[in-house]
Amino acid sequence: MTSAVVFQIQSVIIYTLMIFGIIKRKNRKIHVPIMASVIIWDIILILQIELTRNAIAKASKAMINPLLLNIHVSFAVSSVVFYLLLIFTGRKLLKGEHTIKSKHRLFGWCAFLLRSLTLITSFFAVVQK
């Protein structure tokens, strides 16, 4: 089994857990640990890809990369930015600051959309090699 297949399997599992966490969003005892696991595992997956493929060096060659790879990298990086916003707003929610709930919800749906697009484009970016 190639590293690309292992990465894709992890990505699908992470995405499935994300959907489960979203479904359970009204139950903090389930939502918070599931989504924390999703975020941590997704960042670990990015680090695995970097360590095995030198992804940052390849991504920095945006002018010569295929357009689809650049789009994929943009989605993945944007997902991580929204993860950081979700961590920030989620911690405030856990402390009782409910005025930030609408922002947390918006950031969550943006992160989910970007993660969905990252997953979809990952299949094409890998095949393209």
Side-chain angles (χ1 to χ4, degrees):
M1 190 175 321
T2 66
S3 64
V5 172
V6 172
F7 296 151
Q8 290 298 91
I9 290 169
Q10 287 184 76
S11 189
V12 169
I13 293 169
I14 291 166
Y15 188 73
T16 304
L17 283 171
M18 182 181 265
I19 291 171
F20 179 71
I22 291 168
I23 290 168
K24 297 294 185 180
R25 68 186 172 271
K26 304 236 185 238
N27 184 340
R28 276 190 183 175
K29 289 185 179 184
I30 295 174
H31 176 75
V32 173
I34 291 293
M35 297 313 273
S37 299
V38 163
I39 291 170
I40 291 166
W41 193 358
D42 210 14
I43 292 171
I44 289 171
L45 177 59
I46 292 168
L47 292 173
Q48 288 175 331
I49 293 168
E50 166 55 26
L51 293 173
T52 59
R53 296 187 183 163
N54 294 322
I56 294 173
K58 289 179 186 174
S60 66
K61 298 176 184 169
M63 296 303 288
I64 60 172
N65 286 340
L67 178 61
L68 188 57
L69 179 60
N70 289 335
I71 291 170
H72 172 72
V73 169
S74 298
F75 289 152
V77 170
S78 298
S79 295
V80 172
V81 170
F82 276 96
Y83 288 163
L84 296 174
L85 292 169
L86 284 167
I87 291 167
F88 177 75
T89 57
R91 290 179 55 87
K92 286 190 174 229
L93 274 172
L94 289 172
K95 290 178 181 174
E97 194 175 317
H98 295 287
T99 58
I100 204 156
K101 188 173 186 175
S102 61
K103 284 185 182 180
H104 184 75
R105 184 181 301 125
L106 175 65
F107 295 156
W109 286 116
C110 289
F112 178 69
L113 174 65
L114 288 164
R115 186 60 178 83
S116 300
L117 294 169
T118 301
L119 179 64
I120 292 165
T121 58
S122 71
F123 288 101
F124 301 107
V126 171
V127 170
Q128 209 169 28
K129 291 183 180 183

